[in-house]
Amino acid sequence: MNSLLETLQYEPRTLTFGTSGLRSPVSDMTDLECYINSFGFLEFLRQSGFITADSSSAVYLAGDLRDSTPRITRAVRQAIIDFGCQPVYCGLLPTSALAYYALMHNCPGIMVTGSHIPADRNGIKFYKPDGEVLKEDEAGIMAAIQTTRNHVYAQDGATATFDGQGMLVSPSPVSATDDNARTTYVQRFTSLFDESTLAGKKIVFYQHSSVGRDLLPEILGMLGASVIPVGRSDVFVPIDTENVTPDDQAYFRELARQHPDAYAVISADGDSDRPFVIDETGTFHRGDMLGVVVATYLRADAAAYTASTNDAADTELAKHGIAFQRTKIGSPYVVAAMNQAVAAGRQRVVSWEVNGGFLTASDIPVGKGTLKPLPTRDALLPIICALHAAARQELKVSELFARLPQRFTQAGLIDDFPVSISQQIKEKFSQNTPETNAELETYFTRDKGFGAITDINTTDGVRIFFDNGDIAHLRISSNAPQMRIYSTANSQTRADEIAALTLAEPDGIFRRMERAFTNATPTS
């Protein structure tokens, strides 16, 4: 007998966890690999006492609008069936909508999405019955996946349900959509806000290929807004709230010019858990300060946010008496910090990421009801809170953000940057010694406007502080050949300049670092 592994006509590549879920090129996400990972996740839940392997245990399943999502969804669904649980397909809807519905029913959830990354990649995000997978869960999940992998690979290749390319031989169609998750998500907001919330406000909604491109405008309309949808795309658009390009910015300004009576331009990323809040002038407001607006709107008493956040957040939250903690980048880290705050007795606990996704861990009185906890990224809550915060004060959206401490940020990334080199850069410059800092200053030079380095923070990556107030935060990707830059400065022009100097091709700071470390790395 030849095992399934022996009959495979390709070299399987295993999926790995990034900052939030599994991500990989679609070519690596064969039906077999997606099946193994999903089955292994369910086995972890069984071992942990969250579920039993029987048809009474529901597992909620949804996806985004990528071309590869339907195929991957079928493979995940087959894993749920073969494990012995009941798949409930919730359709194409925001990750936060699936997560909320699963949490309300104390059931697992699996979302097929690559979020904001390009269409040649995709991902799978797992939810336990009590919420997000945390970093402390990953070792147990990977162990269960490996056990599953060994078992599946050992099956008889002649009778296996997967062919030599790792694809299901007879994939079964996904069952009819259960719309209850969608309805529950709508009710999350309509139970708190009514048609007076955004009455008389014209909102332009950039739809592109966001999975919430119909649902989010529908809800905003229920809250009284006049919503104008624009820019719907049949091709996946990998727009990223942490990498808003000059072309994106130009498009936002053009939308504002075309709709001079618009209160705001709104959008969300591919799986609709990262918000775009763009004011009436066409200016995009980044997630770190958007989170501050929402935290104060909700009268939070504790907040967690990532290390890359604008330092103006600290100033503003301190003014309002809100305790705060900075964490590593990724929703599992801010969720863990929220859990600590709840355990310490805080009553209105929130968190957010620089990408704008907002999370809550407490029952918080809002509007005409109580906002139930949703400890995963959500795009719609911060959109509504920011717009209503401005509207009830009779402010323009630009005026609301102008009242915050005026520190400015920019972010961007560079592709095709070897992970091995980025790891070396992080390891060396995390040392924060006079010698390594002096070497860093040969990249961040005075002729480019940088001052002397005063400190290095290594909570997540290498966050460099200069004596002129500039901050340059270098961060590697854990599962992609990319490097990111987060800049902070006393003007938007300078923040933009720091990012541009770092990302410039072919001789920007990142590329010069890459060449220097490559030349210093033995080839043998």
Side-chain angles (χ1 to χ4, degrees), residues 63 69 105 114 137 156 159 168 247-248 305 307 312 317 319 429 462 466 480 513 520:
T69 290
H105 289 81
D137 299 317
D156 185 349
T159 59
L168 285 165
D247 287 346
D248 295 331
Y305 42 87
L317 293 188
K319 185 176 79 174
F429 295 128
V462 180
F466 300 90
M513 284 182 167

Side-chain angles (χ1 to χ4, degrees), residues 289-313:
M289 298 312 291
L290 173 62
V292 172
V293 168
V294 182
T296 54
Y297 174 92
L298 295 175
R299 294 185 293 116
D301 62 4
Y305 42 87
T306 57
S308 53
T309 299
N310 187 332
D311 55 5

